[in-house]
Amino acid sequence: MGIAMLSAMRSKDDNSQVGTCIVSSDNKILSLGYNGMPTGCDDNLMPWRRNGAPLDTKYMYVCHAELNAILNSPAPSLKGAKVYTTLFPCNECTKAIIQSGIKEVIYLSDKYADSDNNIAARKMFDMVGISYRKYIPSGNSVTIEL
């Protein structure tokens, strides 16, 4: 989860810095992702606002951390992998998680648990047998000065 948290720090989204780390069944890192704009879209030219006309907000453009980690993976397959993510996946990322063959989701926060997106996500995970659980902090800490 620490690697997912570090990945989240790369996001330019001040409101929703989400990070994801996908690991193999033996906990080897396969891929990382964070909330960001599609490759080639200049982060400085894209909107990061939450409110306003739809085309003037981030929602039409941002790729979520989970999707970025899946799409950026150099691994030939993610079948049987686990995903550590700082925020419970939305319904759209859940579809990508299911399609990629990931079998377990470990999340840090589920602040949108009662939203339709997250209710749908849990319904899909339950339907296909993907387990999900809240991360229990170990009490360890890391300090990095950059």
Side-chain angles (χ1 to χ4, degrees):
M1 185 60 74
I3 299 296
M5 293 169 75
L6 283 172
S7 295
M9 295 172 72
R10 290 192 47 100
S11 177
K12 287 193 168 53
D13 188 343
D14 290 336
N15 295 300
S16 300
Q17 288 192 312
V18 179
T20 296
C21 180
I22 300 174
V23 300
S24 64
S25 58
D26 56 350
N27 291 321
K28 291 187 176 148
I29 296 173
L30 300 175
S31 189
L32 304 172
Y34 57 90
N35 281 9
M37 296 299 171
T39 302
C41 293
D42 187 335
D43 287 342
N44 298 313
L45 300 177
M46 300 299 286
W48 289 101
R49 291 185 296 282
R50 296 176 73 180
N51 300 308
L55 293 175
D56 295 330
T57 67
K58 64 183 180 177
Y59 300 109
M60 298 293 253
Y61 309 102
V62 169
C63 292
H64 288 175
E66 301 90 341
L67 182 61
N68 272 328
I70 291 167
L71 294 175
N72 292 333
S73 175
S77 173
L78 296 176
K79 191 171 184 164
K82 297 184 281 189
V83 60
Y84 287 85
T85 187
T86 59
L87 184 63
F88 192 89
C90 72
N91 62 308
E92 293 299 323
C93 289
T94 294
K95 294 173 196 177
I97 289 167
I98 292 168
Q99 293 295 89
S100 70
I102 291 170
K103 290 299 177 195
E104 185 176 8
V105 175
I106 302 102
Y107 61 91
L108 186 60
S109 169
D110 192 8
K111 68 180 179 179
Y112 302 113
D114 296 328
S115 71
D116 289 344
N117 285 342
N118 285 35
I119 292 168
R122 285 190 296 278
K123 181 176 182 176
M124 287 187 280
F125 284 148
D126 291 342
M127 190 175 289
V128 300
I130 292 177
S131 63
Y132 52 92
R133 62 183 165 89
K134 184 166 178 55
Y135 176 76
I136 307 299
S138 64
N140 294 334
S141 64
V142 176
T143 302
I144 300 173
E145 187 172 325
L146 302 174

